[in-house]
Amino acid sequence: MQFTGTDSYVAPPELAIAVNAAVTLERPLLVKGEPGTGKTELARQVAASLGLPILEWHVKSTTKAQQGLYEYDAVSRLRDSQLGDQRVHDVANYIRKGKLWQAFTAPGKVVVLIDEIDKADIEFPNDLLQELDRMEFHVYETGETIRARHRPVVIITSNNEKELPDAFLRRCFFHYIRFPDAETLKRIVEVHYPGLKPALLEEALSQFFDIREAPGLKKKPSTSELLDWLKLILAEDISPADLKRSPSEILPRLHGALLKNEQDVALFEKLAFMAKRQGR
């Protein structure tokens, strides 16, 4: 099984190598990178490319590692016991299988996405060390051990909001998705908007990279925001000439798709004011 990208996902060679290395080593692939660089979508495209089902576990600040294994619903069992329900005699009726349990007991190999692991508590990765390493866990309520029938392809994403433990990192194959260069971005845009006029794309990319390289920017626009911006440009039927800015116009057309906070808008307004003063 080799991943090379798909018709709808442009995978740089080094990313494809990382995916295939993780599959060969049977280790989780830890993917880091700026928000909006396609980390979550990577897992879906890997599943599509390899012809495997995918199980997605989206982590929140309140998510506990145990939820990925299973949850025991003691409240429902107590309620059923009070009502005289016969289901209460089998504790298995109150076990809710998590994504890892589902993956371990699947009839064939699957892809598991653990999305934005750095959102959870710092102990979250440590609590999954043995389960991801040995691909098994114990269910204390029933006394059974759940082992993976087929070792899943595990892809873990992180936005680098907090450091991950060394013991966890040791068990992963790591890859950092660098922000695409201009040529790669052109290939990505071509996938989403085939036949886009070259002059319009050149002007849009020029302005996009100017914004990303502005000093002091709090939130750099990402690939997904570029695609949203191009969608608006096409919907408004803006020509390359209309998109081009004069020296005093720092903010691009429809800049709300690219700049996502007031500090960055104020920064560009300040740059525009300074440019006007220098032009006098």
Side-chain angles (χ1 to χ4, degrees):
M1 297 193 300
Q2 290 289 308
F3 173 71
T4 57
T6 66
D7 292 339
S8 59
Y9 189 90
V10 176
E14 61 273 14
L15 177 57
I17 289 172
V19 171
N20 293 321
V23 171
T24 300
L25 292 172
E26 295 188 323
R27 288 190 177 274
L29 173 63
L30 174 61
V31 184
K32 291 187 179 182
E34 292 181 29
T37 50
K39 300 186 297 298
T40 302
E41 188 61 24
L42 170 66
R44 297 167 183 157
Q45 296 301 326
V46 168
S49 174
L50 302 181
L52 301 175
I54 184 170
L55 294 169
E56 300 187 15
W57 183 14
H58 298 282
V59 178
K60 302 178 182 179
S61 60
T62 56
T63 303
K64 302 299 181 185
Q66 182 66 30
Q67 294 171 308
L69 307 178
Y70 70 93
E71 291 183 275
Y72 170 53
D73 191 354
V75 174
S76 293
R77 193 181 188 195
L78 175 61
R79 181 196 61 223
D80 288 349
S81 68
Q82 293 171 337
L83 296 174
D85 195 318
Q86 293 303 307
R87 296 173 69 250
V88 75
H89 299 296
D90 186 358
V91 68
N93 291 324
Y94 304 93
I95 300 292
R96 297 177 182 174
K97 298 177 181 179
K99 298 296 183 182
L100 291 179
W101 186 326
Q102 295 172 40
F104 288 2
T105 56
K109 201 175 190 69
V110 302
V111 173
V112 177
L113 167 64
I114 304 178
D115 196 30
E116 298 188 329
I117 193 172
D118 52 326
K119 278 188 175 180
D121 183 84
I122 189 63
E123 291 303 320
F124 183 94
N126 282 330
D127 291 342
L128 288 177
L129 285 180
Q130 295 302 318
E131 289 77 8
L132 291 178
D133 193 24
R134 300 174 63 181
M135 288 291 164
E136 66 177 41
F137 62 90
H138 187 70
V139 183
Y140 295 98
E141 288 78 7
T142 63
E144 61 185 320
T145 297
I146 305 300
R147 294 185 178 88
R149 297 179 186 173
H150 307 274
R151 198 173 182 97
V153 177
V154 180
I155 297 179
I156 303 169
T157 72
S158 169
N159 287 326
N160 244 355
E161 292 183 9
K162 61 171 68 81
E163 289 295 324
L164 299 174
D166 289 346
F168 180 80
L169 295 175
R170 183 176 64 79
R171 289 166 168 82
C172 299
F173 190 93
F174 172 76
H175 182 74
Y176 183 86
I177 298 182
R178 300 185 184 280
F179 193 82
D181 58 20
E183 288 305 313
T184 304
L185 273 181
K186 287 179 182 178
R187 291 170 56 204
I188 293 172
V189 170
E190 178 64 25
V191 167
H192 293 270
Y193 306 111
L196 188 67
K197 294 179 181 178
L200 182 61
L201 179 56
E202 288 291 343
E203 180 60 34
L205 286 181
S206 174
Q207 293 190 32
F208 176 75
F209 278 110
D210 283 347
I211 291 175
R212 277 190 57 87
E213 293 165 6
L217 201 64
K218 184 177 180 181
K219 163 71 173 71
K220 293 183 178 182
S222 66
T223 307
S224 62
E225 287 154 344
L226 169 64
L227 295 175
D228 287 345
W229 187 46
L230 287 172
K231 183 176 182 179
L232 290 173
I233 290 172
L234 292 172
E236 296 289 332
D237 197 21
I238 297 174
S239 68
D242 291 334
L243 189 62
K244 191 180 290 289
R245 296 171 293 170
S246 68
S248 61
E249 292 176 331
I250 297 295
L251 285 171
R253 298 281 295 272
L254 303 167
H255 64 270
L258 299 173
L259 300 174
K260 296 302 179 73
N261 60 67
E262 63 277 14
Q263 294 98 319
D264 288 343
V265 172
L267 171 65
F268 276 85
E269 289 173 342
K270 182 179 179 181
L271 291 174
F273 176 73
M274 293 171 63
K276 286 179 181 179
R277 290 191 63 180
Q278 292 173 359
R280 289 178 183 173

